[in-house]
Amino acid sequence: MTDTLGLRERKKRQTRSLISDVASGLFMQRGFDNVTVAEVAEAAGVSTKTVFNYFPRKEDLFLDRYPEAVELVTRAVRERAEGESPLAALRRLFLRMLREGHPLGGIGPGYQVFWQVILDSPALRARTRELVEEFEGVLAGLFAEAAGTDPADPAPRLAAALVVAAYRAVYVTSIDRIRAGDPMQDVIADRVALLDRAMAAVERAVDAF
């Protein structure tokens, strides 16, 4: 029974990955708003209904790694080392992802096309803002859980807002430099240092609060 469920889950993940990869390829070739879900389904060899079973919104076909991001930060906070603060655990996670070139690190060869697809689509930009707000809520909940406080307490909310703001500021700075033609490796190296400083500043601000 366990093996059957394991095989079923693997097949579901493979199907989800196939649909997302096909969709991303089409979106990057033709633009997000110029591709329909029906065209994605046909190219992936599945039905439109199947696409929506895995991705309730068209935008999530392109922003498909959001659940993975939530999983990573959740594990980082909940499985942090004894005596390590949630912010320190996140700082370690973010820096490791950057140094290892993890796709969710948000920077690397070819990412210019990914960013441009988002910039060219009002729908994708709106969905990105929604996901950022959702992510901030996830962080606030994790911080409250770690501190044993009420989720409505302003402290975890402030900490979450500062983390998101710091990460976004560093991310946007890196994107602007790459679009301006700065060498990728220089931007990545500087981003590691800047993100480290930004997260350290967040920790100091939260401690002071």
Side-chain angles (χ1 to χ4, degrees):
M1 184 68 174
T2 302
D3 290 343
T4 301
L5 289 175
L7 177 60
R8 185 180 304 161
E9 183 60 30
R10 286 197 297 273
K11 286 185 176 179
K12 286 174 62 178
R13 292 187 179 187
Q14 289 171 356
T15 301
R16 186 182 191 277
S17 180
L18 169 65
I19 294 170
S20 175
D21 289 346
V22 168
S24 294
L26 290 173
F27 295 151
M28 287 190 282
Q29 289 172 10
R30 295 164 49 192
F32 180 81
D33 298 326
N34 298 322
V35 178
T36 67
V37 173
E39 289 174 318
V40 171
E42 182 179 0
V46 300
S47 67
T48 301
K49 180 180 178 182
T50 297
V51 173
F52 281 119
N53 284 340
Y54 286 94
F55 302 94
R57 298 175 60 164
K58 178 187 173 185
E59 293 82 5
D60 295 338
L61 283 162
F62 197 63
L63 304 170
D64 64 305
R65 287 187 176 271
Y66 175 73
E68 182 183 354
V70 171
E71 180 182 353
L72 284 171
V73 299
T74 299
R75 288 177 55 192
V77 173
R78 290 179 175 169
E79 299 176 11
R80 66 190 185 281
E82 185 177 353
E84 185 178 38
S85 71
L87 285 173
L90 288 179
R91 180 182 181 186
R92 180 164 51 82
L93 170 67
F94 294 158
L95 292 174
R96 176 173 60 80
M97 289 168 62
L98 265 180
R99 293 187 176 110
E100 294 178 356
H102 191 286
L104 282 170
I107 190 171
Y111 270 70
Q112 298 95 316
V113 180
F114 177 83
W115 302 327
Q116 195 61 51
V117 171
I118 295 176
L119 291 173
D120 289 342
S121 170
L124 275 178
R125 293 201 305 272
R127 182 58 176 152
T128 299
R129 287 192 293 271
E130 289 178 355
L131 291 178
V132 169
E133 290 179 3
E134 289 180 24
F135 192 70
E136 186 175 313
V138 169
L139 289 179
L142 288 169
F143 293 157
E145 175 186 289
T149 60
D150 189 319
D153 189 297
R157 289 184 175 182
L158 173 64
L162 289 174
V163 169
V164 169
Y167 193 91
R168 183 182 183 280
V170 175
Y171 187 85
V172 171
T173 297
S174 299
I175 292 175
D176 288 345
R177 287 187 57 191
I178 290 173
R179 296 183 72 200
D182 287 5
M184 179 70 69
Q185 289 306 313
D186 290 350
V187 176
I188 292 175
D190 291 344
R191 181 171 175 178
V192 169
L194 184 57
L195 183 57
D196 190 30
R197 287 168 49 204
M199 289 299 295
V202 170
E203 290 183 60
R204 291 193 298 271
V206 171
D207 287 344
F209 182 79

